[in-house]
């Protein structure tokens, strides 16, 4: 279709008319997209940095609180009672208002004071925040759930030192997430009034802290959801470029959060926006351009169609007439009025078609004569030699006395030659006439075992070993006798090709509705010049061959709805592949 004259004229016209508009559109589209991407990048990065800074300040205030709490005079006094310490801790919570509760643990990790009175006596020595505090660090944990509180918490911890500077315990407040989220929401609302954004905190393991979840935390990894890995997360956090989700629907600004305390994992603020909303102005611009393009294209197509109808229709008529001629119909000269060049082309085609018809008749006649000559030569060659022998012996008998012994000797030779003629005529008839096939379901493995045993016993050859690699039963549909004839011919040819010691290998490959039976030998092979003529009647390289063996095999395999294929490398060997059907529905 794209190669037709009408299509080319239409294409060239569209290119000439639309390229300038298209270039202008691409430039405008690219500049608008660059501007929108820059605005989105600035807005999201500025918003995420603002949230990071506010989060940094917020968390550091909490860390300052826990440091102040750990230095409380009652808490650091070993002589203070548990009740006195609990009172001080409750005063702290009431004063700050951002905490669920506070734990005070001794050196062994046992809770000795708890503002909720739910965990007194519990041993939390295995908690990472306790271990970090015992090493002298202020520590900020990830979000996790505990039986003491109904909602997820973030724990802080700090070591408690006595007046001598020795660690005597740990204090660990759990603060509320509401304050953190209120601060983040306020900053997110300042990012852009053009499109909404979503935000969340993510640690390097992919655990997302999300206010959209009623429990405040999503324990499943969020990295896969936004198309990230841990390595990509770190790379994205170190770049000012926006990260595009793998599904192409979201873009994100990712910034790491730093604190003055040790943390269990690195935290990141992720601020994202929907690409469709970010690029909505660009989509509107694209829609306007597409409308303009559509109007231009439709107008051009209509104008060019009217123009080419006059120019191209005579050419199409000529093409249709030529195709009809190829299908065997008579070439009809078009009488329609058209431009002068087209009328001359019609006349030239008419003369050319007449010449082609005459030459085709001559070629067909020549090919028939050639084939008849080839057939006659082959038949004459195969019959003349035995007749010459028989004639010679008759002349000898005529010129000599009638010796019974001599007559018997000559008669045997003449009968042998007659048998040769009979075998040749039988092969010729076998190649020419169709056979009534006896289709049957047969196990190819059993068939090959039986045939190889029979062949080996009737044709003992010490220098050739037959290796049967077909070890599993395979059901095929074929004519047993005709298939045997093909295999015997192939085995005979392989044995004759092996001059010294060698072997013949049989192997099987199953394909859809067929099996491929491969017969390989390591004989002398066939030269490329001879290989291309294999299968032609009367073509042979054997001194006593008649060239009908392979031709007959090819004919039989076609009758069996299969194929006969031969491959050979000179001085390396030959492979014959028989394709045999396994489904009886292929037999028609």
């Amino acid at each position: 279709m794209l190669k037709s004259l009408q299509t080319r004229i239409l294409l060239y016209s569209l290119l000439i008319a639309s390229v300038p508009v298209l270039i202008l559109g691409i430039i405008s589209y690219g500049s608008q997209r660059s501007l929108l991407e820059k605005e989105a990048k600035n807005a999201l990065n500025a918003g995420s940095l603002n949230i990071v800074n506010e989060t940094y300040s917020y968390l550091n205030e909490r860390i300052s609180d826990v440091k102040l709490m750990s230095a409380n005079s009652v808490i650091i006094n070993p002589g203070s009672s548990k009740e006195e310490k609990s009172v001080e801790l409750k005063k702290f919570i009431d004063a700050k208002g951002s905490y669920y509760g506070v734990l005070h643990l001794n050196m062994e990790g046992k809770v000795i004071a708890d503002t909720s009175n739910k965990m007194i006596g519990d041993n939390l020595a295995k908690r990472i925040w306790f271990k970090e505090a015992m090493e002298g660090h202020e520590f900020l944990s990830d979000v996790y759930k505990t039986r003491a509180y109904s909602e997820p918490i973030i724990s802080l911890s700090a070591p408690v030192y006595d007046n001598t500077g020795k660690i005597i315990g740990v204090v660990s407040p759990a603060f509320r997430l509401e304050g953190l989220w209120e601060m983040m929401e306020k900053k997110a609302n300042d990012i852009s009034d053009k499109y909404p954004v979503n935000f969340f905190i993510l640690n390097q393991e992919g655990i997302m802290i999300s206010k959209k979840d009623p429990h405040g935390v999503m324990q499943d990894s969020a990295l896969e959801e936004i198309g990230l890995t841990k390595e990509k997360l770190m790379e994205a956090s170190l770049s000012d470029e926006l990260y595009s989700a793998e599904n192409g629907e979201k873009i994100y600004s990712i910034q790491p959060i730093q604190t003055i305390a040790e943390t269990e994992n690195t935290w990141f603020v992720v601020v994202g926006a929907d690409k469709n909303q970010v690029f909505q102005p660009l989509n509107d611009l694209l829609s306007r351009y597409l409308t303009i393009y559509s109007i231009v294209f439709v107008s051009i197509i209509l104008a060019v169609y009217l123009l080419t109808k006059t120019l191209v229709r005579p050419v199409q008529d000529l093409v249709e007439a030529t195709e009809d001629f190829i299908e065997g119909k008579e070439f009809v000269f078009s009488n329609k009025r058209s431009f002068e060049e087209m009328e001359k082309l019609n006349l030239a085609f008419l003369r050319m078609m007449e010449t082609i018809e005459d030459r085709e008749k001559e070629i067909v006649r020549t090919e028939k004569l050639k084939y008849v000559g080839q057939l006659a030569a082959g038949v004459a060659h195969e019959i003349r030699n035995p007749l010459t022998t028989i004639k010679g012996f008759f002349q000898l008998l005529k010129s000599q006395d009638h010796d019974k012994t001599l007559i018997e000797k000559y008669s045997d030779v003449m009968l042998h030659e007659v048998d040769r003629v009979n075998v040749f005529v039988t092969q010729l008839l076998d190649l020419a006439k169709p056979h009534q096939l006896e289709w049957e379901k047969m196990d190819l493995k059993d068939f090959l075992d039986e045939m190889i045993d029979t062949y080996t016993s009737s044709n003992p050859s010490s220098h050739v070993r037959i290796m049967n690699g077909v070890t599993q039963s395979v059901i095929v549909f074929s004519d047993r006798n005709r298939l045997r004839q093909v295999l015997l011919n192939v085995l005979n040819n392989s044995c004759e090709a092996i001059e010294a010691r060698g072997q013949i290998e049989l192997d099987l490959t199953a394909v859809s509705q067929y099996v491929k039976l491969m017969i390989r030998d390591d004989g002398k092979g066939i030269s490329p010049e001879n290989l291309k003529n294999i299968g032609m009647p009367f073509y042979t390289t054997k001194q006593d061959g008649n060239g009908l063996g392979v031709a007959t095999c090819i004919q039989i395999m076609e009758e069996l709805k299969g194929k006969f294929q031969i491959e050979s490398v000179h001085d390396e060997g030959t492979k014959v592949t028989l394709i045999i059907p396994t489904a009886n529905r292929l037999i028609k």
Side-chain angles (χ1 to χ4, degrees):
M1 182 62 183
L2 293 178
K3 295 181 179 180
S4 67
L5 177 61
Q6 188 172 12
T7 304
R8 289 193 176 188
I9 294 175
L10 178 61
L11 180 61
Y12 295 151
S13 302
L14 288 176
L15 288 174
I16 293 171
S18 62
V19 165
V21 181
L22 185 61
I23 293 175
L24 179 62
I26 291 174
I27 294 174
S28 177
Y29 182 86
S31 61
Q32 288 290 328
R33 182 178 181 87
S34 177
L35 180 61
L36 289 174
E37 287 179 343
K38 186 176 181 180
E39 288 180 356
K41 175 181 175 182
N42 292 338
L44 293 180
N45 281 342
S48 60
L49 286 173
N50 285 339
I51 294 176
V52 165
N53 292 334
E54 289 297 322
T55 304
Y56 174 80
S57 300
Y58 184 88
L59 294 177
N60 285 341
E61 287 181 9
R62 305 287 80 76
I63 294 168
S64 298
D65 289 344
V66 73
K67 291 176 68 175
L68 181 62
M69 186 188 309
S70 67
N72 184 280
S73 58
V74 176
I75 299 299
I76 67 175
N77 185 2
S80 300
S81 65
K82 295 179 182 179
E83 291 75 14
E84 290 175 334
K85 292 182 178 181
S86 294
V87 169
E88 288 299 316
L89 296 178
K90 287 180 180 179
K91 286 180 181 180
F92 174 82
I93 291 177
D94 294 338
K96 295 297 181 179
S98 299
Y99 297 89
Y100 289 107
V102 185
L103 301 177
H104 183 206
L105 298 85
N106 61 16
M107 295 285 290
E108 288 75 30
K110 185 177 180 181
V111 179
I112 58 177
D114 177 13
T115 55
S116 67
N117 293 319
K118 295 180 180 180
M119 301 184 69
I120 297 294
D122 287 359
N123 192 314
L124 306 179
K126 294 184 179 180
R127 299 290 175 88
I128 186 172
W129 49 263
F130 177 79
K131 295 178 180 179
E132 291 289 335
M134 289 300 295
E135 292 180 3
H137 307 139
E138 286 80 26
F139 185 78
L140 178 68
S141 76
D142 278 350
V143 177
Y144 68 96
K145 299 195 71 173
T146 178
R147 64 183 178 83
Y149 308 106
S150 60
E151 297 180 358
I153 62 171
I154 296 177
S155 290
L156 291 163
S157 63
V160 177
Y161 297 93
D162 61 11
N163 292 329
T164 64
K166 179 182 178 182
I167 298 177
I168 59 173
V170 173
V171 290
S172 175
F175 70 83
R176 301 176 184 274
L177 296 177
E178 284 84 351
L180 177 61
W181 277 107
E182 287 174 1
M183 176 275 300
M184 293 180 68
E185 282 182 337
K186 181 178 178 182
K187 291 299 177 183
N189 291 333
D190 296 337
I191 292 179
S192 176
D193 57 357
K194 294 183 179 180
Y195 40 80
V197 297
N198 62 320
F199 61 93
F200 48 86
I201 295 177
L202 187 74
N203 71 11
Q204 67 194 49
E205 297 299 323
I207 305 301
M208 181 191 294
I209 308 169
S210 173
K211 195 173 183 182
K212 289 185 288 187
D213 190 283
H215 302 293
V217 61
M218 294 171 62
Q219 292 296 332
D220 295 332
S221 176
L223 292 178
E224 184 176 349
E225 179 181 331
I226 60 177
L228 275 174
T229 61
K230 294 179 182 180
E231 293 75 15
K232 288 184 178 179
L233 178 65
M234 295 302 297
E235 291 177 7
S237 68
L238 298 175
S239 173
D240 291 335
E241 298 299 322
L242 299 181
Y243 175 77
S244 180
E246 288 188 353
N247 59 17
E249 296 177 358
K250 299 282 187 180
I251 50 176
Y252 298 97
S253 173
I254 303 173
Q255 302 291 340
I257 301 173
Q258 304 294 334
T259 64
I260 60 175
E262 298 290 331
T263 56
E264 187 172 350
N265 288 292
T266 303
W267 287 11
F268 304 88
V269 167
V270 181
V271 179
D274 193 304
K275 270 190 175 181
N276 291 333
Q277 293 177 330
V278 172
F279 295 114
Q280 186 58 45
L282 189 64
N283 294 333
D284 295 339
L285 177 64
L286 182 60
S287 298
R288 291 194 295 271
Y289 275 119
L290 289 176
T291 302
I292 296 173
Y293 289 157
S294 300
I295 295 173
V296 172
F297 289 164
V298 170
S299 301
I300 294 173
I301 290 172
L302 182 60
V304 172
Y305 174 77
L306 296 175
L307 175 63
T308 56
K309 187 175 182 180
T310 303
L311 298 176
V312 178
R313 187 62 216 177
V315 179
Q316 291 177 339
D317 291 339
L318 181 59
V319 171
E320 292 174 1
T322 306
E323 290 176 345
D324 290 341
F325 177 79
I326 294 173
E327 294 176 359
K329 300 178 183 179
E330 183 180 356
F331 180 79
V332 180
F333 177 74
S334 176
N335 293 321
K336 295 179 181 180
R337 298 287 297 176
S338 60
F339 46 93
E340 182 181 356
E341 290 81 1
M342 195 65 229
E343 293 177 356
K344 290 182 178 180
L345 184 60
N346 266 311
L347 290 173
F349 260 81
L350 181 60
R351 290 195 296 269
M352 182 180 68
M353 294 306 176
E354 292 173 349
T355 304
I356 289 175
E357 286 182 335
D358 294 339
R359 291 185 178 179
E360 280 184 346
K361 292 177 182 178
E362 182 65 24
I363 290 172
V364 169
R365 189 178 69 84
T366 303
E367 287 296 324
K368 286 181 179 179
L369 291 174
K370 178 181 177 182
Y371 186 78
V372 170
Q374 182 182 2
L375 182 62
V379 172
H381 174 76
E382 293 297 329
I383 294 179
R384 183 178 57 187
N385 290 339
L387 290 179
T388 301
T389 302
I390 293 171
K391 179 181 177 181
F393 280 110
F394 268 120
Q395 290 174 342
L396 287 174
L397 288 174
K398 183 179 179 181
S399 63
Q400 297 180 11
D401 295 335
H402 296 282
D403 187 322
K404 184 178 181 180
T405 304
L406 189 62
I407 291 174
E408 290 178 353
K409 178 181 177 182
Y410 289 170
S411 297
D412 289 339
V413 175
M414 287 187 289
L415 287 173
H416 175 72
E417 293 300 315
V418 170
D419 288 339
R420 280 185 57 191
V421 174
N422 186 52
V423 169
F424 169 72
V425 173
T426 301
Q427 288 181 331
L428 196 61
L429 291 174
D430 195 43
L431 179 65
K433 71 177 182 179
H435 284 73
Q436 184 64 37
L437 299 175
E438 297 180 3
W439 296 101
E440 63 175 296
K441 180 179 178 181
M442 52 189 285
D443 188 327
L444 188 59
K445 174 185 177 301
D446 295 341
F447 172 77
L448 292 175
D449 290 341
E450 176 189 349
M451 200 204 74
I452 291 173
D453 290 342
T454 304
Y455 182 83
T456 304
S457 60
S458 61
N459 297 278
S461 181
S462 60
H463 73 289
V464 178
R465 183 174 59 168
I466 300 178
M467 307 290 293
N468 185 8
V470 181
T471 58
Q472 294 183 345
S473 295
V474 179
I475 302 301
V476 298
F477 284 86
S478 190
D479 183 305
R480 181 180 296 270
N481 291 328
R482 299 292 278 171
L483 184 60
R484 182 191 301 275
Q485 184 178 347
V486 174
L487 285 169
L488 287 174
N489 187 281
V490 174
L491 291 175
N492 286 333
N493 287 342
S494 295
C495 287
E496 292 173 2
I498 300 174
E499 297 176 346
R501 288 187 174 274
Q503 66 180 20
I504 302 172
E505 298 178 4
L506 281 75
D507 200 3
L508 190 71
T509 301
V511 295
S512 177
Q513 301 180 353
Y514 293 92
V515 295
K516 290 184 177 181
L517 177 63
M518 281 80 73
I519 303 100
R520 301 183 185 87
D521 66 61
D522 53 4
K524 59 185 178 182
I526 306 170
S527 66
E529 295 78 14
N530 292 331
L531 185 62
K532 65 182 180 181
N533 294 317
I534 290 293
M536 292 180 59
F538 306 113
Y539 179 82
T540 181
T541 57
K542 300 178 183 177
Q543 292 182 355
D544 57 347
N546 55 32
L548 295 179
V550 176
T552 303
C553 290
I554 293 174
Q555 175 68 22
I556 292 174
M557 291 309 299
E558 289 179 353
E559 293 176 0
L560 297 179
K561 308 303 179 183
K563 291 182 180 179
F564 183 98
Q565 299 172 344
I566 185 167
E567 303 171 40
S568 185
V569 178
H570 191 50
D571 293 332
E572 292 186 14
T574 302
K575 181 180 79 170
V576 174
T577 302
L578 304 182
I579 299 179
I580 309 169
T582 59
N584 60 355
R585 67 182 181 84
L586 299 175
I587 312 304
K588 297 181 181 179

